[in-house]
Amino acid sequence: MQAIVLDVGGEILGVAGLYYLGSKIICFSDFKPGSDRYKKSIILGSRMMIALMTKKRRPIYAVRDEEITTSSRFLTYLGFEQDGDLYVWHS
């Protein structure tokens, strides 16, 4: 697994990363409520995630969080394309 941590003033507000599930690479993230106030930090972390994903040179899969209304838009921003219930990122 490789991960990036959103740390603001010593408080961990979120984590995002990649892990292997069999032969597939899965992209994940988990943020505390209220972390969306740090949009610039989230965008910076997103760019770091894109750099990690680019190095893998294979498809990467994600599932949107249906409880977060903007999750689909954010996955699209990262370069994921919807394929049924999954989102796929191609290097």
Side-chain angles (χ1 to χ4, degrees):
M1 174 178 19
Q2 294 177 292
I4 297 168
V5 175
L6 174 60
D7 180 334
V8 177
E11 181 181 3
I12 295 175
L13 296 179
V15 63
L18 303 172
Y19 69 92
Y20 289 87
L21 182 61
S23 63
K24 292 184 178 174
I25 301 175
I26 309 298
C27 182
F28 71 92
S29 66
D30 189 28
F31 293 91
K32 286 184 178 179
S35 60
D36 57 342
R37 295 184 318 207
Y38 301 95
K39 290 181 174 138
K40 287 183 181 179
S41 296
I42 291 171
I43 294 300
L44 177 62
S46 299
R47 291 181 182 148
M48 294 170 74
M49 280 299 302
I50 291 169
L52 277 177
M53 294 188 306
T54 300
K55 292 178 183 176
K56 298 301 177 186
R57 299 183 188 263
R58 355 185 338 202
I60 297 173
Y61 300 88
V63 177
R64 77 178 283 262
D65 185 339
E66 299 205 13
E67 293 182 18
I68 301 174
T69 58
T70 58
S71 62
S72 177
R73 184 172 49 136
F74 190 65
L75 286 169
T76 301
Y77 167 78
L78 290 175
F80 284 87
E81 298 173 355
Q82 189 170 5
D83 185 8
D85 290 338
L86 296 176
Y87 285 75
V88 183
W89 186 87
H90 300 279
S91 60

